[in-house]
Amino acid sequence: MKKRVVALLMAAVMVAGLTACGGSGNESAPAQEPAAEAPAADDGAEAPAEDAEAEDAEAEAPAASDGSKILKVQIGPDPETIDPALNSAVDGGNMLLHAFECLLVVDQDGQLAPGQAESWETSEDGLTWTFHLREGLKWSDGSDLTANDFVYSWKRVCDPNVAAPYAETVLSMVAGYEDAIGGNLDALQVVAEDDRTLVVTLNAPCSYFGSLAAFATLSPVQQATVEANGDAWAIAPETYVSNGPFYMTEWVEGSHILFSKNPNYWNADAIKLDGIQFALIEDSNAAYSAYQTEEVLFIKDVPTEEIPSLEGNGDFYVDPIIGTYYISLNLNNEAFADAKVRRALSLAIDREYVGGTLMQGTYTAAGNFMGPGWTDTDGTPFIDKANGGNAYIDTTNFEANLEEAKALMEEAGYPNGEGFPSISYTTNDAGYHKVVAEYLQQAWAELGIDLQVNIVEWSSFTPMRRNGEYDVVRNGWVGDYSDPSNMLDLLYSTNGNNDGKFNNADYDAAMDTSRTTLDAAERSEALHTAEDILMEETACIPIAYYNDFWLQSDKITGSWHSPYGYWYFMYADITDGAGAADAAETTEAAE
């Protein structure tokens, strides 16, 4: 089993996967017909670093039947949506990463780099950000892309009719946001001074705004196409106009999505692949079979029962990522109105057993909501100052935790669970989710609670969770950037990703302070106060800190994995396998 230390303290954003695709649209726009040649890259622009040895190897790559070089990978089933404004899941995020490009990007070293903008600057007071777009930018259909496309796209994220789940997270610091989210979109202070200059005015300095400018939600989308097709623009190759290194050419539901090289991408000359085919496989055993037969060269969903046999296998990777596997309680359910009940449910879970045994050591027991990798305002690990430097829950002392849980249930009026209603736990059946659900049945039975397990398909799971159609539900978050607000914002009362509907005035006040103060120490204190409240109120139940584990053939070179849970294949190549060492070195360098 490969375990590598990942640079978790990067301050840059990686795209987050996202959610729901809406209903039917109006008449379709014409099919995309990319021009034969991409615009030349600016002289000063540099492609991401590539593995020199892999370039020198010149190994003949496997090709499709028509002679093209198609990389086939598995990252999940059909995504709920691949509309940048609506997505909030990792699988969709990986696709968006390859189809769209924001003003800025994050390179393989985790640093912010030019994307659609070749340069940018910030005013001395930190309130004005000016982005200078590259000359000759094009959409995948060959039409011109200008600064006005970003103005439209960012305002669309604020549109209450769109209901983008990330709107508050990515744009609340922009001047005019409150009016824009209320329906006056033109109030948002995002202005195109000319075709190549975008000016953004903030209501307060935001040190990580550069990371937001590299975040998938703020990708540009083509106004004419979206308005002509409604939500349906994002479900058909003919209307899925994008601006990244690849563009969609085929979507066969339940089978695959094919993204082909975009000749209109500004850096098309650096793209070696002719396409990336995302195999839409939900069952991990089916994914494993496809990997063994080389139908795909990469799978994200590895059968957990295979993990012991994969230890020591050069194709098997385990890397820590910045995020937490947790449980959401539906706080609109009267059963969870008492914080004592919520805390009892949390303390009755043996996190060391879950992480070390059920999850076979691939995840780590979580005593805090905010785990390793999040960066405090002074650059130190956020977790070091949390709760006075101590975990909120001592995961090494389960017996004492269980006794406290039983006492709390009695104090709440449910001795041995008497009078407490039967509840259900909703999850999808992937990875460790089902075995964790079965464990929770046993763990909460110790409190006298009857828990039913509700297994649903991925396509149904995320909308059910978002709509509050559950009692208890599996949840989790992988950071989009290392500022703690990225995850703490999830519990803000009006946040679109607040699945449990936690609503606490003191919590909101602490987060408001963190958004507006110019004092780094005060901001740090506010963020820590927010986590104190979250854990005291058991707004959700953290279980384990994430790691990613996957299988990747040594025929893939030049790709990398980020500590934000994404795989970057856009500058990858496929060889005959001789590049195994090169692939490993490339990944190591990125981490």
Side-chain angles (χ1 to χ4, degrees):
M1 183 184 296
K2 289 187 179 179
K3 282 202 175 186
R4 294 189 299 277
V5 176
V6 175
L8 288 173
L9 300 182
M10 295 190 286
V13 61
M14 300 291 178
V15 302
L18 298 29
T19 50
C21 207
S24 60
N26 302 318
E27 62 186 59
S28 296
Q32 298 182 61
E33 296 181 359
E37 296 182 3
D42 295 312
D43 292 338
E46 296 184 5
E50 300 166 18
D51 190 288
E53 293 181 21
E55 280 191 83
D56 295 340
E58 296 288 339
E60 185 176 350
S65 58
D66 63 356
S68 58
K69 191 186 297 183
I70 307 297
L71 174 61
K72 298 180 180 181
V73 301
Q74 181 273 336
I75 60 168
D78 285 276
E80 185 187 0
T81 182
I82 45 176
D83 181 332
L86 297 177
N87 179 48
S88 58
V90 173
D91 55 345
N94 263 285
M95 295 176 189
L96 290 171
L97 182 68
H98 295 84
F100 288 89
E101 184 170 272
C102 293
L103 291 167
L104 308 182
V105 298
V106 179
D107 66 19
Q108 127 178 32
D109 296 317
Q111 302 302 309
L112 284 174
Q116 296 283 281
E118 62 184 357
S119 64
W120 70 99
E121 67 261 4
T122 310
S123 62
E124 193 170 319
D125 63 5
L127 295 179
T128 304
W129 289 63
T130 304
F131 300 90
H132 304 281
L133 274 62
R134 299 179 187 278
E135 185 175 359
L137 291 174
K138 302 284 185 181
W139 291 103
S140 56
D141 65 1
S143 59
D144 293 338
L145 187 155
T146 72
N148 279 303
D149 291 305
F150 282 93
V151 173
Y152 164 74
S153 303
W154 288 27
K155 288 181 177 179
R156 177 174 179 259
V157 170
C158 282
D159 190 340
N161 294 316
V162 173
Y166 267 109
E168 186 172 280
T169 298
V170 299
L171 290 175
S172 63
M173 69 293 298
V174 176
Y177 169 79
E178 291 298 334
D179 288 336
I181 203 71
N184 181 14
L185 301 183
D186 289 337
L188 193 72
Q189 293 302 297
V190 179
V191 177
E193 287 195 344
D194 55 49
D195 284 351
R196 294 182 54 201
T197 308
L198 185 76
V199 179
V200 182
T201 304
L202 306 186
N203 52 37
C206 179
S207 60
Y208 57 91
F209 190 71
S211 295
L212 297 179
F215 186 52
T217 300
L218 296 181
S219 299
V221 295
Q222 191 180 67
Q223 182 175 1
T225 298
V226 174
E227 292 183 347
N229 296 278
D231 289 346
W233 79 272
I235 62 176
E238 294 78 16
T239 56
Y240 197 69
V241 180
S242 61
N243 72 319
F246 296 87
Y247 73 107
M248 190 200 299
T249 51
E250 189 174 48
W251 186 342
V252 179
E253 188 174 350
S255 175
H256 64 272
I257 299 179
L258 176 63
F259 286 90
S260 297
K261 178 178 176 178
N262 178 11
N264 290 302
Y265 178 55
W266 70 269
N267 200 23
D269 289 346
I271 308 301
K272 302 178 181 67
L273 298 171
D274 294 304
I276 301 174
Q277 181 173 295
F278 292 94
L280 303 174
I281 305 173
E282 183 163 10
D283 180 74
S284 60
N285 290 303
Y288 187 53
S289 295
Y291 182 80
Q292 289 180 305
T293 59
E294 295 196 335
E295 179 183 342
V296 296
L297 296 182
F298 168 101
I299 62 170
K300 175 181 181 288
D301 294 320
V302 180
T304 55
E305 63 269 18
E306 297 292 340
I307 288 177
S309 67
L310 292 171
E311 190 164 347
N313 185 326
D315 285 7
F316 185 53
Y317 295 79
V318 179
D319 277 341
I321 56 177
I322 178 172
T324 302
Y325 186 110
Y326 64 94
I327 292 171
S328 286
L329 305 172
N330 188 337
L331 299 184
N332 289 329
N333 187 329
E334 185 62 29
F336 309 120
D338 192 332
K340 293 176 181 177
V341 169
R342 303 196 296 268
R343 180 164 176 79
L345 293 172
S346 176
L347 290 173
I349 298 170
D350 186 346
R351 292 163 169 79
E352 296 290 341
Y353 174 74
V354 172
T357 301
L358 295 182
M359 295 176 165
Q360 302 177 87
T362 57
Y363 289 24
T364 307
N368 294 19
F369 182 60
M370 306 295 295
W374 300 99
T375 307
D376 215 324
T377 56
D378 61 359
T380 61
F382 187 78
I383 197 171
D384 287 357
K385 297 176 186 173
N387 197 36
N390 300 307
Y392 291 94
I393 298 171
D394 183 357
T395 65
T396 65
N397 196 6
F398 173 64
E399 294 302 324
N401 290 342
L402 181 58
E403 289 306 309
E404 183 180 349
K406 292 177 178 178
L408 286 168
M409 287 297 290
E410 186 168 356
E411 289 177 29
Y414 304 108
N416 299 315
E418 294 173 15
F420 195 81
S422 176
I423 55 177
S424 65
Y425 180 82
T426 300
T427 184
N428 60 310
D429 186 7
Y432 298 111
H433 304 330
K434 185 176 180 180
V435 70
V436 169
E438 293 168 343
Y439 164 74
L440 289 174
Q441 281 185 305
Q442 302 170 28
W444 290 350
E446 292 291 317
L447 302 180
I449 294 173
D450 175 51
L451 179 70
Q452 301 298 313
V453 174
N454 181 27
I455 304 291
V456 299
E457 292 184 352
W458 175 246
S459 59
S460 301
F461 176 69
T462 50
M464 287 177 67
R465 182 172 63 188
R466 184 175 57 252
N467 296 332
E469 299 170 6
Y470 67 86
D471 294 328
V472 187
V473 70
R474 176 195 72 77
N475 216 329
W477 190 262
V478 177
D480 306 306
Y481 42 91
S482 63
D483 190 87
S485 65
N486 179 238
M487 197 156 100
L488 289 170
D489 269 340
L490 296 176
L491 282 302
Y492 194 88
S493 60
T494 58
N495 192 285
N497 290 306
N498 183 1
D499 296 323
K501 310 308 177 190
F502 180 63
N503 191 339
N504 182 286
D506 291 336
Y507 186 89
D508 284 0
M511 292 305 298
D512 286 340
T513 298
S514 77
R515 295 172 178 177
T516 57
T517 182
L518 302 182
D519 183 271
E522 184 181 26
R523 183 168 190 268
S524 173
E525 182 180 1
L527 291 167
H528 284 295
T529 296
E531 188 179 19
D532 290 344
I533 295 169
L534 183 160
M535 293 300 295
E536 177 66 26
E537 293 294 316
T538 315
C540 63
I541 300 175
I543 302 295
Y545 302 132
Y546 275 122
N547 291 313
D548 265 338
F549 53 93
W550 73 95
L551 281 166
Q552 178 173 321
S553 168
D554 62 7
K555 293 181 179 180
I556 303 175
T557 61
S559 70
W560 69 88
H561 172 254
S562 83
Y564 303 97
Y566 295 95
W567 289 268
Y568 286 68
F569 298 116
M570 64 278 289
Y571 295 104
D573 201 357
I574 312 173
T575 73
D576 63 2
D582 298 329
E585 289 173 10
T586 299
T587 307
E588 296 274 2
E591 296 162 358

